[in-house]
Amino acid sequence: MPRLQIYHPRERALVALADASIAPLGWMRGRVADAAPVQRVLLLRLERIGDLLMVLGALRDARAAWPDAEIDLAVGSWNAPLARLIPGLSRLQVADAPWLARESGASWRPLLSQARSWRARRYDLVINFEPDIRSNLLAWLTGARRRVGYWTGGGGAFLTDATTYAPMSHVSENARQLVARASGRMATGPATPLETPALAPPADAVARATAILGGAARPIVGIHASGGRVSKQWHLDRFAAVGRRLAQERRATIVLTGSPADRPMVEAVRHAMGAVPVVDAASGLDLPSLAAVLARLDVLVTGDTGPMHLASAMGTPVVALFGPSHVERYGPLAPRQRILRVDIHCSPCGRVRLPPERCRGHVPDCMDGIQVDPVVRAAIELLDLPT
């Protein structure tokens, strides 16, 4: 039996057992007529901010492949404000998966009921961009004639067309290849920078960004200090040192971003920067307003985070600090970028969610090895590029 792409042995064994139990579904599904017209499409992308932004190219491909079809996108509630900014969609289906909804208290029963309710839309095609047995189950519950996705996270029997996820290819490339497989159209090569800006924040979001930034002098440098997960977290005092250096050497305006949960980190960076004046943009902005703020920056310094991908989608140059996650899979698609990481024997391990024991409780070695000077140089290089 081919090996599932699931790191944790116990989780992999459980998914393999589930796959064995649902195997008869695959035997019974019969042959699907690919030539039948596609009038209604559902695209599943239930994950976090960066995951949605990395499939923007695939969403564009889907609209090009089925120009006259109704194309719906299913997202978690946290991504709905961003998803409403994506051109070419017919409607949103908002669904919170319990394994992804960190704070919403989502549960399985309403999610399964919601997936069944999608049968009323009579989808001809469902494409699931996530290699996951749970979301493949949701695709099956829609009753769509064709269900295209990946078997490598389990649940291949729930699909009519299951393929292998290429783990060392970029998320965006995998997604585009999946649309190409479903449509019979050729995907155009490896991951490339997004057509930017890929999103257009509404006027009220632009107005909020303008009010926050005011008459900030350029260059405007954003610092997003939260790594999202402790395994991707860089030292807060080093973020502060980067901001202080850029303010002193380039007279940059420093903008601190973050969610309400990031407030302690933002305050720590702000305090460590000393007398350097900063603009605090970490006041619970909604995602469209954050996108509008990021679009005004001359460069953003961040780890492998959702704001990294959002800045990329807005055409903002990015300095990205990578540790345990694979650059080739999750790197920014900004038209101008610098990626910093250190070469040590165990990095990148890919164990972002379940880091090794030796990397817990402190900044892991792969992040600790990134020093301030290279980050400052990278930011200056981007600032000095001709526009």
Side-chain angles (χ1 to χ4, degrees):
M1 178 179 178
R3 187 177 179 85
L4 296 170
Q5 294 173 5
I6 299 173
Y7 173 78
H8 197 282
R10 184 173 180 273
E11 184 179 338
R12 186 170 62 248
L14 288 173
V15 172
L17 183 62
D19 268 357
S21 69
I22 63 173
L25 291 175
W27 306 333
M28 295 185 297
R29 65 188 172 212
R31 183 173 178 84
V32 176
D34 291 349
V38 173
Q39 297 177 328
R40 285 171 294 277
V41 180
L42 176 63
L43 308 174
L44 292 176
R45 195 53 168 168
L46 303 178
E47 297 76 22
R48 309 309 299 184
I49 295 172
D51 301 295
L52 172 62
L53 294 169
M54 285 187 285
V55 301
L56 290 179
L59 303 186
R60 182 192 62 222
D61 290 350
R63 175 47 70 195
W66 301 288
D68 300 321
E70 294 183 29
I71 298 181
D72 299 353
L73 174 65
V75 299
S77 59
W78 45 85
N79 271 339
L82 273 186
R84 294 188 181 100
L85 308 183
I86 300 173
L89 299 177
S90 302
R91 69 183 68 191
L92 285 185
Q93 302 283 9
V94 179
D96 286 356
W99 63 93
L100 297 166
R102 297 171 184 168
E103 297 154 1
S104 71
S107 61
W108 269 101
R109 179 172 294 181
L111 178 64
L112 296 178
S113 176
Q114 186 174 11
R116 292 189 188 96
S117 74
W118 291 340
R119 289 173 178 261
R121 289 284 292 145
R122 301 180 65 85
Y123 290 113
D124 302 299
L125 170 67
V126 173
I127 300 177
N128 179 21
F129 291 120
E130 182 70 10
D132 192 298
I133 187 173
R134 296 163 294 193
S135 47
N136 281 343
L137 167 63
L138 301 180
W140 178 70
L141 289 173
T142 67
R145 174 170 49 84
R146 290 188 65 201
R147 303 176 298 278
V148 181
Y150 306 104
W151 65 265
T152 41
F158 288 131
L159 305 171
T160 60
D161 190 343
T163 188
T164 302
Y165 191 95
M168 289 299 101
S169 294
H170 200 276
V171 171
S172 64
E173 183 180 351
N174 272 289
R176 296 191 68 197
Q177 292 293 340
L178 203 60
V179 172
R181 185 183 183 98
S183 65
R185 295 164 61 102
M186 183 72 69
T188 55
T192 56
L194 293 167
E195 295 179 3
T196 55
L199 304 172
D204 61 337
V206 174
R208 282 192 289 272
T210 300
I212 289 170
L213 296 176
R218 293 194 178 276
I220 306 175
V221 175
I223 292 180
H224 187 85
S226 173
R229 292 184 182 272
V230 293
S231 60
K232 299 190 290 182
Q233 185 62 53
W234 199 40
H235 297 280
L236 298 181
D237 60 339
R238 295 188 192 177
F239 273 118
V242 169
R244 189 166 55 248
R245 289 267 303 274
L246 291 172
Q248 293 168 348
E249 298 175 20
R250 300 306 297 266
R251 302 182 67 83
T253 298
I254 306 302
V255 177
L256 301 180
T257 61
S259 69
D262 298 332
R263 173 53 61 185
M265 292 187 181
V266 172
E267 292 298 335
V269 173
R270 186 172 187 170
H271 177 75
M273 288 179 64
V276 173
V278 302
V279 174
D280 187 343
S283 301
L285 291 177
D286 60 19
L287 288 174
S289 298
L290 176 59
V293 168
L294 295 176
R296 292 275 300 275
L297 303 180
D298 294 297
V299 67
L300 174 69
V301 179
T302 179
D304 170 24
T305 63
M308 175 192 76
H309 293 292
L310 185 53
S312 300
M314 299 310 297
T316 299
V318 169
V319 175
L321 315 181
F322 269 72
S325 48
H326 292 272
V327 173
E328 60 269 31
R329 185 166 178 172
Y330 302 110
L333 297 176
R336 299 181 179 191
Q337 58 181 273
R338 295 291 184 273
I339 297 172
L340 285 88
R341 59 175 303 274
V342 294
D343 290 317
I344 58 177
H345 73 283
C346 57
S347 178
C349 66
R351 296 180 60 179
V352 172
R353 185 167 57 94
L354 295 171
E357 185 67 33
R358 69 180 183 279
C359 297
R360 300 176 190 176
H362 60 89
V363 173
D365 292 344
C366 55
M367 295 298 295
D368 179 65
I370 301 173
Q371 301 300 314
V372 170
D373 284 350
V375 178
V376 172
R377 285 197 300 270
I380 289 175
E381 286 175 7
L382 290 174
L383 290 175
D384 287 344
L385 288 176
T387 58

